[in-house]
Amino acid sequence: MPDREDGPDTKPGMPSQDAMGRIVRLQDYETCTPDRVLREMREYWDGIRKGRAIPARSDVDPRGIARTLDYAFILERIAPGAGRLRLAGRHLIDLMGMEVRGMPVCAFLNTSSRGRFSDVLESVFKAPQMARLTLQGKPDYGRPQLNAQMLLLPLRSDLGDVTRALGCLVAEGDTGIAPRRFDILADEVMPIIEGGTTVKPSPSAIGFAEGRADFKPRGAVPDKPAAEKPLRGFPQAETPEERRALFRVIQPRQPDA
């Protein structure tokens, strides 16, 4: 009897049974591009709708977006045009250089683009509808130019109102020194039902409650106020003497002894 047991019937250089039976999907090794991440996120959102117009927040399972989880986030609407990050992937943390949960999503935008982003975000909740934004991070010292894409997909909360959103943010290139913020180059809104109508993001109303006063050069004679109608039953006075004559001194009444 030999000292060692017989090995498998495979010859040296031949793949094992396990290796021969494993299936490798080429899509798992596809280069991670913004278009692919956005496409897979949109397909997942469509899949959890289950015949409904808008899926619920409770339907979102991180295991279903495992390949795009680093770029995904979930928003909560906290005010008109404002959203707070409830969950965020690793890619978003790398862009900001810190934990981003609880932060407003507009923190990823430069101040000049936050107004437009607020309008687009509010249209996603209000319509509701989907939105895609093309972003760009300007180059600076230690910060190469970054091109990015963002997708926003509405969700229903546990109460049934549309105050949540599933989204993703994908930036191409070297991040450089964090934090990185972006400008909006273009935005597009899409209906949640094919062939449906969309609501154009309306610009935010910025200004004071009072109307704007007309400009008058220094030294100009002010306009005379409009003449007020006289009160019925009261005498009217035109000159200071006539007005003084209308004054009366009222003596307090003495209590009866």
Side-chain angles (χ1 to χ4, degrees):
M1 189 173 180
D3 296 336
R4 62 181 180 83
E5 296 181 357
D6 294 335
D9 295 336
T10 56
K11 297 181 180 180
M14 293 182 60
S16 63
Q17 295 269 351
D18 295 339
M20 292 177 63
R22 188 178 59 168
I23 299 175
V24 178
R25 296 184 301 176
L26 294 178
Q27 63 179 354
D28 292 339
Y29 297 91
E30 182 183 354
T31 304
C32 181
T33 61
D35 289 337
R36 180 182 70 81
V37 174
L38 268 63
R39 182 181 68 250
E40 292 188 5
M41 185 66 70
R42 169 72 182 277
E43 291 174 353
Y44 174 76
W45 183 82
D46 283 331
I48 62 176
R49 294 167 71 178
K50 300 177 183 178
R52 298 166 297 177
I54 303 173
R57 162 65 181 90
S58 57
D59 295 327
V60 178
D61 187 351
R63 294 173 295 181
I65 51 176
R67 298 207 311 149
T68 59
L69 193 59
D70 285 345
Y71 310 94
F73 60 83
I74 291 181
L75 286 180
E76 176 189 10
R77 182 181 183 268
I78 56 176
R84 178 176 59 188
L85 292 165
R86 298 295 299 270
L87 297 173
R90 185 68 199 178
H91 184 65
L92 281 75
I93 297 175
D94 292 340
L95 288 174
M96 292 299 294
M98 65 182 75
E99 178 59 62
V100 297
R101 285 182 299 178
M103 292 176 58
V105 66
C106 65
F108 288 91
L109 282 299
N110 289 317
T111 54
S112 58
S113 295
R114 291 180 182 178
R116 180 59 182 176
F117 178 78
S118 177
D119 300 335
V120 174
L121 180 61
E122 183 62 17
S123 73
V124 171
F125 293 123
K126 187 177 180 180
Q129 60 193 7
M130 300 175 289
R132 177 170 179 168
L133 299 97
T134 302
L135 311 174
Q136 184 182 81
K138 296 180 180 179
D140 199 351
Y141 178 78
R143 295 185 174 99
Q145 178 174 305
L146 281 179
N147 297 319
Q149 297 283 335
M150 180 184 288
L151 182 66
L152 298 170
L153 306 166
L155 295 172
R156 293 192 182 276
S157 69
D158 295 337
L159 300 177
D161 52 352
V162 183
T163 55
R164 304 291 188 274
L166 173 66
C168 59
L169 173 61
V170 191
E172 290 184 291
D174 184 13
T175 302
I177 301 176
R180 298 304 306 268
R181 292 184 171 88
F182 301 90
D183 292 315
I184 297 178
L185 299 184
D187 58 80
E188 176 189 7
V189 292
M190 300 162 286
I192 57 177
I193 300 176
E194 188 175 356
T197 58
T198 58
V199 176
K200 185 177 180 181
S202 58
S204 302
I206 301 176
F208 297 100
E210 297 82 4
R212 180 179 61 87
D214 295 331
F215 172 76
K216 294 181 180 179
R218 182 178 298 178
V221 179
D223 296 335
K224 294 183 179 180
E228 297 180 356
K229 294 182 179 181
L231 296 177
R232 185 176 298 178
F234 288 87
Q236 302 298 315
E238 298 296 338
T239 64
E241 291 76 8
E242 293 177 350
R243 287 195 291 270
R244 283 196 294 270
L246 295 177
F247 284 101
R248 292 186 305 168
V249 178
I250 301 176
Q251 297 291 342
R253 183 179 178 180
Q254 297 294 334
D256 297 336

